Amino acid sequence: MLLYIFIAKRFNIVDIPNLRSSHNHIIVRGAGVVFPLSLIAYTITFSQYYPHFIYVFAGAMLISFISFIDDIRSLPVYVRLPIHVISVLMLMHGFSVFEHWPLWFSTSLLFIMLGIINAYNFMDGINGMTALYSLISFSSFWFVIKYVEHMESTAFVNYGIVSCIVFLFFNFRKRAICFLGDVGSIGLGFWTVAALCYIIFLQHHFEYILFLSVYGIDTGYTILERLRKRENIFKPHRQHLYQRLANEGKQSHLFISTIYASIQLAVNAVVVFTTWNIIITGLIIMIPLSITYFWLKRKYL
């Protein structure tokens, strides 16, 4: 991290505030390279035990590479999107999705995964947000893998936990030293999807998708709102709830990030420690989150 910050300053890889920014000073961008580097360390250490993981790793490196290029020099959607699709297809092949599930399910899953990855990118706009949220997600995955599903290894998420802690040291501040950049937010989204696949496709317990419900609510409803207004959903904006809270509501970035992460932690506890089926659990979680979202959005219009 320290080496990257030095290099980024030297080569002017920085984020300059614009109209949609929630910060007002120049900050090092692309420090999320810590996550693909951590995945490289994981792969070197553990890939001999999981031969098919090489496809997941290759997909992660491909999507991280194109995202880092996008941090340095903005790329159009028609360049980024095909790389995202190829990367997710490699991830799915690594978990043998095409071999064990019907085509309609695999196709639906492809779009869901792309949506999650890009939701992580959309939600990365204030200090500490995505890294803290991901720390909660990885920690929840660790608990499920070790104590609920009793799976073989937690190493894949352990590396994510450590990487988030390292990054948060530089980012979870009133005046952040660095930002994730697309390489970090999209890389974290990809890693999170991979961790979900590790649990879901080995244990066939789909309720763990609710570990991403808070981001899903904010991203999903914001996209629907923009589509209703006939806006281009790929263009930058400041309409997410967290952006309204930070800009119109003048709330602290660190407070908002902590609230989002805390709510998701509470949701994860409900998922893990209750025995309801996925439909009942989903309704109990999503209805209060939706009501809260619309109430706050209306308050900070």
Side-chain angles (χ1 to χ4, degrees):
M1 281 294 295
L2 290 170
L3 178 61
Y4 176 77
I5 290 169
F6 172 80
I7 293 171
K9 289 180 177 178
R10 174 71 177 79
F11 291 97
N12 202 36
I13 308 174
V14 296
D15 192 80
I16 300 173
N18 56 41
L19 289 176
R20 80 176 185 99
S21 300
S22 298
H23 63 286
N24 54 20
H25 56 282
I26 295 175
I27 302 175
V28 167
R29 183 175 69 240
V33 293
V34 67
F35 297 104
L37 290 175
S38 185
L39 274 174
I40 291 172
Y42 170 83
T43 304
I44 291 171
T45 308
F46 290 96
S47 61
Q48 65 269 31
Y49 304 111
Y50 311 104
H52 280 260
F53 181 78
I54 193 65
Y55 297 104
V56 180
F57 171 74
M61 293 303 104
L62 182 60
I63 202 169
S64 296
F65 175 76
I66 197 68
S67 300
F68 186 65
I69 297 300
D70 192 40
D71 283 328
I72 298 173
R73 180 180 181 180
S74 184
L75 298 173
V77 173
Y78 63 80
V79 173
R80 290 181 279 117
L81 186 57
I83 301 298
H84 287 199
V85 172
I86 293 170
S87 299
V88 173
L89 289 173
M90 295 173 77
L91 167 66
M92 294 170 70
H93 179 63
F95 285 101
S96 303
V97 173
F98 302 108
E99 288 82 356
H100 297 107
W101 297 89
L103 181 60
W104 69 266
F105 179 86
S106 301
T107 304
S108 302
L109 189 64
L110 171 65
F111 286 104
I112 291 170
M113 289 181 174
L114 289 170
I116 292 171
I117 290 168
N118 282 280
Y120 263 67
N121 190 31
F122 296 153
M123 294 296 293
D124 179 44
I126 60 176
N127 299 354
M129 173 66 90
T130 292
L132 187 61
Y133 189 85
S134 299
L135 178 61
I136 293 300
S137 297
F138 284 133
S139 299
S140 300
F141 291 145
W142 174 85
F143 184 86
V144 167
I145 291 168
K146 188 172 181 66
Y147 294 108
V148 180
E149 303 295 347
H150 305 289
M151 298 170 72
E152 184 177 353
S153 174
T154 62
F156 185 57
V157 294
N158 291 348
Y159 277 69
I161 290 170
V162 173
S163 301
C164 287
I165 291 171
V166 169
F167 180 81
L168 284 166
F169 177 78
F170 296 90
N171 179 257
F172 195 75
R173 302 162 179 249
K174 186 175 181 180
R175 187 183 178 98
I177 295 173
C178 58
F179 283 160
L180 282 171
D182 284 358
V183 64
S185 59
I186 289 178
L188 267 175
F190 188 93
W191 198 338
T192 301
V193 166
L196 266 176
C197 288
Y198 178 62
I199 299 174
I200 288 176
F201 291 117
L202 292 182
Q203 302 299 319
H204 294 179
H205 290 170
F206 289 87
E207 63 269 23
Y208 298 117
I209 190 69
L210 293 169
F211 279 11
L212 306 177
S213 54
V214 173
Y215 265 21
I217 286 287
D218 199 338
T219 303
Y221 283 136
T222 301
I223 289 175
L224 290 175
E225 180 185 356
R226 299 195 71 204
L227 288 173
R228 182 179 61 82
K229 294 178 179 179
R230 301 182 184 277
E231 297 177 355
N232 185 343
I233 63 173
F234 294 105
K235 285 190 175 181
H237 63 92
R238 290 171 58 160
Q239 297 183 40
H240 282 288
L241 176 59
Y242 78 88
Q243 292 171 318
R244 293 281 177 83
L245 293 172
N247 299 313
E248 284 75 18
K250 307 301 180 185
Q251 299 292 328
S252 160
H253 287 199
L254 304 187
F255 174 75
I256 297 169
S257 298
T258 301
I259 291 297
Y260 268 66
S262 299
I263 293 174
Q264 187 61 67
L265 179 61
V267 167
N268 296 354
V270 171
V271 173
V272 171
F273 294 111
T274 59
T275 56
W276 305 313
N277 66 48
I278 187 172
I279 296 176
I280 294 175
T281 305
L283 290 173
I284 288 173
I285 289 170
M286 301 304 280
I287 290 174
L289 287 180
S290 298
I291 292 171
T292 303
Y293 171 89
F294 285 114
W295 177 73
L296 288 172
K297 202 70 177 286
R298 183 179 180 85
K299 182 178 180 179
Y300 292 108
L301 279 176

